[in-house]
Amino acid sequence: MSPLTVTLALSLLAPAVHLAPAPAPRPSLAVSVDSTRHQVVLTISGVEIAAPTAGAHHAEMHAAGGEFPLLRFRWPVNGWARGASLTLAGPDGKSLPREIVHHINVVNFDRRQLFYPIAERLLAMGQETESIRLPATVGVPVSASMAMGVIGAFHNPGHTALRGVVLTLRIDYSPANLVPRPISVLPAYLDVRDPVGNDVDFDLPAGRSRFSYDFVMPLTGRIIGAGGHLHNFGTGIELLDLGGPREKSVIRLGTALARDGSILKVERALPGVSGKGIRLEGGRRYRVAGEYDNSSGQSIAHGAMVHLILLFAPDREDGWPAVATADPGFKRDTDRLEEMGNAAAMHGMPD
């Protein structure tokens, strides 16, 4: 028997070995300050986005390779954050479509959410989020050395994996010596699901549907601005006052949809820029609600989210709840953020 025959025979007798895909390389984060434009620039390089499986819905965007791990950094300047813009490019420098983005979040671990015992989401942008720029009279206070992180998830509308993607997030800020000083506002995030260490997407039934969550306002203050996030077929987000004899609309954000129901835009409101804002009373009951009109004719698994983000100016800043890193909810949230992108990266990228 020839050596070649022996080799072939041994290979047929040996058990099959299935090699797992190599872990996706971890993206890198570079932080710089453009003091001329008053921008903090986050450049995330080496992002890899898997191709969708055959027949996947838009909601199935959190597949392997669809997220990047939490990338931590220290905020570099004192002042007020007041806007952001996002661009994407391939390794050749050519622009990529914004529809690839499901969400990009900047998390501030040194400040707590108002409604939940979790880290502040300083900034959140989705595929439907246009560039954000608040007037110079308004801003979110930030301090040099604040512990922050950035995390993102993607939806690949094409048929091939995207490799070496570069995201550039430019965050506008007003310097600490600005005169007159801006009104300090803080982002207050509301969800119709419990977000503390949990997934917040849920199944979307066919036809019209409405999802809501009731809460008691922790403190008194004014809504200066409002925005939100919905998935495809989302038709609106509303905040309602339940403290009177009947529910009363406080603020409503509509949407713009493509013919196929794809989300194009969620409205924004700035009632505190040209006016006094909208007052919310501490101890009063309110409701956040999101509406959908799923015209696809079928239920979509994990096809919906409802987020309302308020820019809120409390009457007393010292009434804002402090960070408690020992709180079980804060720890669950932080662990969840760490796990989300790392789990995806461990699955690697298919060729």
Side-chain angles (χ1 to χ4, degrees):
M1 184 179 291
S2 70
L4 177 60
T5 304
V6 172
T7 300
L8 289 173
L10 289 173
S11 67
L12 290 171
L13 291 172
V17 177
H18 300 285
L19 297 177
R26 186 180 180 89
S28 62
L29 170 64
V31 181
S32 61
V33 178
D34 184 338
S35 56
T36 301
R37 297 182 179 179
H38 288 153
Q39 291 180 333
V40 172
V41 184
L42 307 182
T43 304
I44 304 158
S45 305
V47 176
E48 299 194 350
I49 306 171
T53 56
H57 288 295
H58 169 80
E60 298 169 341
M61 60 191 70
H62 295 287
E67 299 173 324
F68 64 79
L70 179 69
L71 303 173
R72 291 178 176 266
F73 67 98
R74 291 282 178 177
W75 183 260
V77 295
N78 293 316
W80 292 265
R82 43 179 291 259
S85 61
L86 176 68
T87 57
L88 299 93
D92 57 0
K94 292 184 179 179
S95 296
L96 294 174
R98 181 62 175 274
E99 63 182 319
I100 290 171
V101 176
H102 176 253
H103 67 258
I104 300 293
N105 284 352
V106 176
V107 183
N108 179 7
F109 293 99
D110 283 348
R111 193 157 53 214
R112 210 201 84 153
Q113 296 271 3
L114 177 60
F115 298 105
Y116 312 106
I118 61 178
E120 174 187 86
R121 273 47 171 182
L122 174 68
L123 174 68
M125 301 185 77
Q127 71 177 62
E128 78 284 8
T129 311
E130 299 171 326
S131 295
I132 304 164
R133 189 165 180 84
L134 297 172
T137 54
V138 177
V140 180
V142 284
S143 301
S145 80
M146 274 183 161
M148 296 198 185
V150 58
I151 193 168
F154 306 93
H155 161 58
N156 188 343
H159 301 289
T160 59
L162 300 174
R163 302 175 188 275
V165 175
V166 178
L167 288 80
T168 303
L169 181 61
R170 292 182 170 270
I171 304 175
D172 301 308
Y173 72 91
S174 294
N177 60 357
L178 185 66
V179 179
R181 292 168 61 87
I183 298 171
S184 289
V185 296
L186 296 173
Y189 154 70
L190 280 161
D191 204 300
V192 297
R193 293 291 188 270
D194 178 9
V196 183
N198 299 316
D199 290 334
V200 290
D201 55 358
F202 49 92
D203 295 348
L204 179 64
R208 294 180 182 274
S209 53
R210 181 179 173 91
F211 309 93
S212 64
Y213 167 72
D214 295 358
F215 64 96
V216 175
M217 193 65 198
L219 47 81
T220 299
R222 295 175 294 142
I223 300 174
I224 303 299
H229 173 68
L230 294 166
H231 280 186
N232 291 347
F233 304 109
T235 56
I237 307 171
E238 191 168 21
L239 180 65
L240 301 118
D241 183 346
L242 306 182
R246 62 187 66 181
E247 66 180 31
K248 176 184 176 182
S249 180
V250 175
I251 196 167
R252 179 177 174 81
L253 306 176
T255 64
L257 302 178
R259 288 186 177 182
D260 65 355
S262 297
I263 191 83
L264 298 177
K265 180 180 179 181
V266 177
E267 287 181 343
R268 295 179 193 153
L270 291 170
V273 172
S274 57
K276 296 182 179 180
I278 299 173
R279 194 160 187 81
L280 300 181
E281 297 292 338
R284 196 173 180 90
R285 293 188 63 81
Y286 294 89
R287 172 178 296 156
V288 59
E291 297 171 350
Y292 280 80
D293 186 2
N294 177 6
S295 58
S296 71
Q298 59 185 353
S299 175
I300 302 175
H302 308 290
M305 279 186 182
V306 179
H307 298 169
L308 177 65
I309 299 92
L310 305 176
L311 290 179
F312 190 70
D315 283 2
R316 291 182 51 200
E317 290 187 23
D318 60 358
W320 199 270
V323 168
T325 55
D327 186 290
F330 195 92
K331 188 175 187 307
R332 283 200 308 273
D333 179 60
T334 302
D335 290 347
R336 175 67 175 160
L337 290 171
E338 293 282 5
E339 292 168 1
M340 284 169 62
N342 288 331
M346 288 178 64
H347 286 84
M349 289 278 290
D351 293 327

